[in-house]
Amino acid sequence: EGEIEAQEGRLLQLRERLEVYHSMKEKYERLMCEVHSLESEKQALASELEKAQVDPTKGCSVAIKRKLEKVEESLARARSETRKHQQMYRQAEQEAQKCKVLERKIQDLKHAKVALIKKQREDAARHKEFTNQKTREIQALKRKEKNADKKISKMEADCQKYKSNLERSRSQCEKLSDKLKQ
């Protein structure tokens, strides 16, 4: 129980960090779009500069060079930012994987807990049934013993009665025998 709560706490922390990473992902994607547009602009300006140098009537190559330098600076800055955000995005993906693993682990722990509780209940029910069965067997044996004791007591009483009768009969026989001898 405590382990499940601890794991759920860790999962909650990971999810909170993931929220921050999701906003970083959006910023990373915007930066990637900016890099692509700057690269396109750079290629267009380079092409324009090349044409201006070949044919000076097409435009001022100095102004185009300045524009190209500004675009290259912006591109360098955007690429640098993109690399930083790419690292953070990778971390976010790793955190997301950790979340999934932790979620599976929590699910496994919960299933194991449910299975354990079910097994404990089944064991308790089996133990109770076993105890009830043994109690019934003991009661049946006690009844048999009580019945056997009653039979023994009755037989002892009968035996005592027969002995008394036998003794009386013997005594009478002896008396008759003594009378016959006289």
Side-chain angles (χ1 to χ4, degrees), residues 35-161:
V35 166
H36 289 299
S37 70
L38 285 171
E39 284 176 350
S40 299
E41 190 178 342
K42 177 184 168 186
Q43 287 175 351
L45 285 171
S47 173
E48 196 177 320
L49 180 62
E50 198 174 301
K51 289 177 186 172
Q53 286 175 344
V54 172
D55 185 6
T57 60
K58 295 276 183 181
C60 179
S61 63
V62 175
I64 295 172
K65 276 185 183 177
R66 266 193 239 121
K67 273 187 179 178
L68 185 59
E69 285 171 1
K70 283 184 183 178
V71 167
E72 284 176 342
E73 285 174 14
S74 295
L75 187 59
R77 178 197 50 78
R79 282 184 178 151
S80 172
E81 292 250 344
T82 302
R83 278 192 292 277
K84 287 179 192 172
H85 278 78
Q86 190 175 26
Q87 269 185 320
M88 290 188 274
Y89 181 63
R90 282 191 194 120
Q91 276 184 312
E93 286 179 335
Q94 288 172 352
E95 295 288 322
Q97 285 300 318
K98 284 181 187 176
C99 264
K100 287 178 185 173
V101 168
L102 202 51
E103 284 172 347
R104 279 194 300 272
K105 187 175 182 181
I106 289 170
Q107 280 304 112
D108 291 346
L109 284 171
K110 285 182 177 179
H111 288 303
K113 180 183 172 186
V114 167
L116 181 63
I117 289 170
K118 183 179 177 184
K119 187 179 183 306
Q120 286 174 337
R121 284 181 183 155
E122 289 171 354
D123 288 347
R126 270 196 304 277
H127 182 264
K128 186 176 179 181
E129 179 56 35
F130 177 78
T131 304
N132 290 342
Q133 180 186 351
K134 291 301 173 187
T135 303
R136 286 190 299 271
E137 287 176 10
I138 289 169
Q139 288 171 346
L141 287 172
K142 283 182 179 178
R143 279 193 302 272
K144 281 184 182 177
E145 183 181 19
K146 192 174 178 181
N147 288 338
D149 284 346
K150 281 183 183 178
K151 282 182 182 177
I152 289 171
S153 294
K154 187 179 183 287
M155 286 179 166
E156 284 175 345
D158 287 348
C159 185
Q160 195 59 42
K161 190 167 71 173

Side-chain angles (χ1 to χ4, degrees), residues 10-22:
R10 282 186 57 211
L11 180 62
L12 188 62
Q13 289 173 345
L14 281 173
R15 284 185 177 157
E16 287 170 1
R17 284 200 303 241
L18 278 177
E19 291 299 319
V20 174
Y21 288 128
H22 285 299

